Amino acid sequence: MEVWRPSVGIERLRALTGANVASHSAFSSCVVSAPVVPWHKAVTDRLEQLLKLSKGWDGYDGVAVRFENATFAIKVLELVFPGHGPIPQIVPGATGDLQIEWHMDQADIEIHVLGPYRVQAWRATAATGRDGEEVRLTNDFAIVARWINEMLEPRRAAHTTAA
Amino acid sequence: MPLTLPPLDPNGQVLPHDHEGIGSDDGVIRRISEQQIVQDKSGNRRISSMAFKASGGDNSGMSVDLESLIVEAGKDPRLYVTTPRWTGSVRFTAGKLRAAKFLVGYDPSPENPCHGEVWGAFGRLQQRQLRNLATWFVEIPGVAIVAE
């Protein structure tokens, strides 16, 4: 949540107004901070690990996840994944690529980032069968957002009922 | 018997091929890293689909080790595929891979003279076939090959 921090503190406010200002709701201090999304730290921590993989990590010629792929993955997640939900698993590929995965009761979803704007997304549900449906995407991830929303819908309904 | 050198493209990269020197019963070993393990919906650990995909490079296939070459070199296959870094591994037989429409070829490198490649379509059906054909060679404890 972004909040404006005023430049004048309580002491200065007292000096300006002559009032015995102890506090003022208009000047409650808040800090400008990065968006707080529950999955963000876990995902960035995992990506940092994958950016540091040593050559041959897979027993062959595997290289570390490429930085541009990691940043693109974050951008995609920020677009398609609402704040609350299960943290995705992230698996490296051999050539700097990566795959974002969820495996839930409602669906399996895998987003393979081969490179920026080169994505293969796949999902399997009871309706699609185990081989699922796959799409190739560049910059429009509306279908993935829908898949994730459908995957999370039963969880949201359960929370609402419990409340 | 040593394998004949594989066919190369103008850039010197190995072309996808099915090597006649790799027998149907020959073992084809695929190393599996701990990085390629995920949890399924029940929280059980299994191999990610990423381990059963081709790499993204030119003439891309799925890297493997050819067991017969390792044995002919007088080495222990299980020691070979866990060196220089320990990974798990699964094993196929070449004949069963070919029956599933994959090509099994020879792609040696200075670092790994027993290196091979498996080429073919790596769609969901084929990935499922690969899982069903694979058996643990060097097992990662507690990890399933096939999803529950």
Side-chain angles (χ1 to χ4, degrees):
Chain A
M1 176 179 69
E2 279 192 23
V3 181
W4 175 68
R5 179 198 280 275
S7 58
V8 57
I10 294 294
E11 291 301 323
R12 178 67 177 149
L13 185 59
R14 286 179 184 147
L16 284 172
T17 63
N20 181 18
V21 180
S23 67
H24 193 293
S25 60
F27 292 88
S28 298
S29 70
C30 297
V31 177
V32 175
S33 60
V36 178
V37 186
W39 54 260
H40 204 270
K41 183 174 185 331
V43 167
T44 52
D45 285 352
R46 174 59 174 158
L47 287 171
E48 282 182 18
Q49 284 179 358
L50 300 184
L51 289 169
K52 295 174 185 169
L53 288 175
S54 54
K55 178 105 166 50
W57 63 265
D58 59 349
Y60 300 110
D61 285 333
V63 297
V65 165
R66 297 169 72 97
F67 182 77
E68 59 265 32
N69 293 341
T71 52
F72 187 77
I74 292 275
K75 287 180 187 173
V76 171
L77 281 172
E78 286 173 349
L79 274 175
V80 303
F81 188 32
H84 295 275
I87 295 169
Q89 304 176 76
I90 305 181
V91 181
T95 53
D97 51 335
L98 64 93
Q99 181 161 281
I100 303 164
E101 306 188 18
W102 289 270
H103 301 290
M104 311 295 294
D105 285 334
Q106 299 75 22
D108 294 277
I109 296 175
E110 296 177 356
I111 306 171
H112 186 179
V113 179
L114 293 105
Y117 307 101
R118 288 176 55 222
V119 172
Q120 290 174 358
W122 170 86
R123 111 172 142 161
T125 65
T128 65
R130 58 187 171 174
D131 288 337
E133 52 183 322
E134 186 167 65
V135 292
R136 291 173 188 257
L137 303 171
T138 54
N139 63 345
D140 184 347
F141 295 92
I143 188 170
V144 175
R146 177 169 61 79
W147 287 354
I148 292 172
N149 195 49
E150 290 173 4
M151 177 181 73
L152 297 177
E153 200 51 49
R155 290 165 60 98
R156 288 200 200 104
H159 279 296
T160 304
T161 303
Chain B
M1 188 160 82
L3 296 181
T4 55
L5 289 176
L8 303 178
D9 69 13
N11 296 320
Q13 301 294 312
V14 171
L15 284 166
H17 66 280
D18 192 77
H19 203 294
E20 61 182 9
I22 300 171
S24 294
D25 294 331
D26 287 358
V28 177
I29 302 165
R30 169 69 172 164
R31 304 188 199 195
I32 306 292
S33 165
E34 181 71 41
Q35 298 291 345
Q36 295 165 314
I37 308 302
V38 293
Q39 288 190 346
D40 69 14
K41 63 184 181 184
S42 304
N44 300 314
R45 299 200 326 141
R46 67 160 174 85
I47 302 173
S48 166
S49 64
M50 283 293 268
F52 297 110
K53 290 187 183 184
S55 67
D58 295 337
N59 301 332
S60 60
M62 184 177 75
S63 278
V64 293
D65 299 86
L66 301 174
E67 188 177 7
S68 62
L69 294 184
I70 301 170
V71 171
E72 282 174 20
K75 302 190 181 196
D76 177 342
R78 282 185 173 79
L79 188 60
Y80 189 88
V81 297
T82 52
T83 309
R85 76 176 60 230
W86 192 94
T87 62
S89 52
V90 296
R91 182 183 186 274
F92 310 92
T93 55
K96 290 192 176 167
L97 288 172
R98 287 167 174 148
K101 307 284 191 289
F102 289 102
L103 304 177
V104 183
Y106 180 39
D107 182 12
S109 69
E111 299 81 20
N112 187 357
C114 304
H115 182 256
E117 290 273 342
V118 172
W119 289 279
F122 287 89
R124 286 294 148 165
L125 173 62
Q126 290 79 17
Q127 287 170 30
R128 189 151 49 82
Q129 286 177 320
L130 287 172
R131 287 183 191 273
N132 288 332
L133 292 174
T135 56
W136 277 116
F137 190 64
V138 177
E139 185 171 0
I140 301 177
V143 176
I145 298 173
V146 180
E148 295 298 320

